[in-house]
Amino acid sequence: MNITHKITYGDQSIPYTINPDPKRHARIAIHVEPDGSVIVDAPPEFDLSAIHTAVQKRARWVAGHVGEALTRFAHVRPREYVSGEQIMYLGRRYVLKVIPTDQKPHPVRLKGHRLEVETKSGDADDIKGRVRAWYRVKARDYFAKKISEATDRLPWIEEVPAFRLMDMTKQWGSCSPEGQVILNPHLIKA
């Protein structure tokens, strides 16, 4: 069970979550996530006051990293999925064009410098879902081609490795010991 606490550094009050980690036995680990949240992994038997004291000792380091994370995302606005927003695809920017329709919506399509999405409801969640599905299809096809091309150039690989797409928050991809390639579908944006 995760428990949230706060440390103070100057006039800042910084929340942190304690994550009991049975793999830890002697020390805590402090992580500042990309969104600025703070997670402290601690042995389950550690006393809460000892954890708080240890985190408070690192308050300057925590505050600095939280500040950096928040600065990185200060200019980023949440996506609204409305016409005029910019959508990334293969490293290029495209303008999202939302097209209301009373008919069955056509599939999402790239037309010139626009990504056209037809929708009956105009609901942001519907548009988001359609764009994400389009990204997944494009990513599947693009990565299948790239993996096949790379396999052809590598003489020690006899067959094209299996791959799958998986949304990941902290990494772009990985390869299992069995050789299965796992890729983040958001890579298609870059």
Side-chain angles (χ1 to χ4, degrees):
M1 179 178 162
N2 293 344
I3 305 164
T4 303
H5 298 277
K6 291 186 179 190
I7 57 168
T8 305
Y9 182 72
D11 60 351
Q12 292 180 304
S13 179
I14 303 168
Y16 65 92
T17 303
I18 298 174
N19 178 32
D21 185 354
K23 295 177 186 169
R24 294 197 154 274
H25 300 292
R27 298 170 53 139
I28 67 166
I30 303 171
H31 311 281
V32 177
E33 299 294 311
D35 65 357
S37 61
V38 180
I39 298 172
V40 178
D41 293 335
E45 68 276 0
F46 258 41
D47 179 52
L48 290 178
S49 62
I51 294 170
H52 183 73
T53 301
V55 175
Q56 189 65 51
K57 283 182 181 177
R58 302 286 294 156
R60 180 178 179 185
W61 179 89
V62 171
H65 282 78
V66 167
E68 287 174 14
L70 296 178
T71 300
R72 265 193 311 273
F73 291 101
H75 68 284
V76 178
R77 291 187 359 218
R79 208 167 276 299
E80 297 175 19
Y81 292 94
V82 295
S83 287
E85 276 189 326
Q86 292 191 352
I87 299 288
M88 294 298 294
Y89 175 62
L90 295 177
R92 293 189 174 167
R93 296 180 192 278
Y94 294 89
V95 176
L96 179 64
K97 175 69 175 170
V98 177
I99 303 168
T101 184
D102 294 329
Q103 310 295 319
K104 181 181 179 204
H106 285 96
V108 175
R109 63 185 169 266
L110 200 56
K111 199 171 186 181
H113 294 285
R114 294 191 319 235
L115 183 68
E116 296 181 350
V117 181
E118 290 188 6
T119 178
K120 277 187 174 184
S121 67
D123 179 51
D125 287 337
D126 175 49
I127 298 163
K128 177 181 180 179
R130 294 174 60 73
V131 169
R132 286 177 60 96
W134 179 82
Y135 272 137
R136 285 190 81 82
V137 169
K138 292 296 185 183
R140 181 197 64 210
D141 296 344
Y142 184 81
F143 296 141
K145 178 183 171 199
K146 290 298 182 184
I147 290 172
S148 178
E149 289 173 359
T151 302
D152 290 343
R153 289 191 306 262
L154 301 172
W156 61 87
I157 298 178
E158 295 174 8
E159 62 182 57
V160 177
F163 86 96
R164 67 185 175 107
L165 299 175
M166 185 170 84
D167 286 341
M168 296 180 263
T169 57
K170 295 185 181 178
Q171 62 189 79
W172 292 114
S174 65
C175 182
S176 73
E178 296 79 31
Q180 182 184 41
V181 177
I182 302 169
L183 296 171
N184 191 327
H186 294 288
L187 270 171
I188 198 68
K189 296 176 183 178

